[in-house]
Amino acid sequence: MPIIIELDVMLARRKMRSKELAERIGITEQNVSLLKSGKVKGVRFDTLEKICEALDCQPGDILVFERQED
């Protein structure tokens, strides 16, 4: 998949655990885990907004586009 989710990197930079992020943004730890592993097909903009607010970052700090070579 050409979109890479670097939520785990941002959590480490902010020294925050998945549990704390889940509590702050109002989703389950399991959903944070799914986001971190990239096993989701999409993320709601309001959820992305809450993540960015909690981690004091931009969407581009979490979502990275990587071109795939044919």
Side-chain angles (χ1 to χ4, degrees):
M1 177 188 271
I3 301 293
I4 309 299
I5 300 173
E6 295 190 337
L7 182 56
D8 54 344
V9 174
M10 191 53 62
L11 283 167
R13 287 182 183 161
R14 299 298 189 252
K15 296 182 171 91
M16 186 183 297
R17 295 190 180 270
S18 297
K19 181 178 181 176
E20 182 181 348
L21 178 64
E23 289 171 357
R24 284 188 183 194
I25 65 174
I27 65 173
T28 65
E29 280 185 76
Q30 183 179 5
N31 283 338
V32 172
S33 179
L34 289 171
L35 281 169
K36 284 173 43 177
S37 67
K39 294 182 180 179
V40 294
K41 296 285 184 188
V43 60
R44 295 176 57 109
F45 283 140
D46 64 329
T47 303
L48 184 58
E49 178 183 346
K50 290 175 186 176
I51 291 170
C52 289
E53 190 172 302
L55 295 175
D56 190 28
C57 67
Q58 295 293 314
D61 296 327
I62 298 169
L63 304 174
V64 179
F65 175 73
E66 189 173 279
R67 291 193 190 276
Q68 292 182 334
E69 299 294 324
D70 291 335

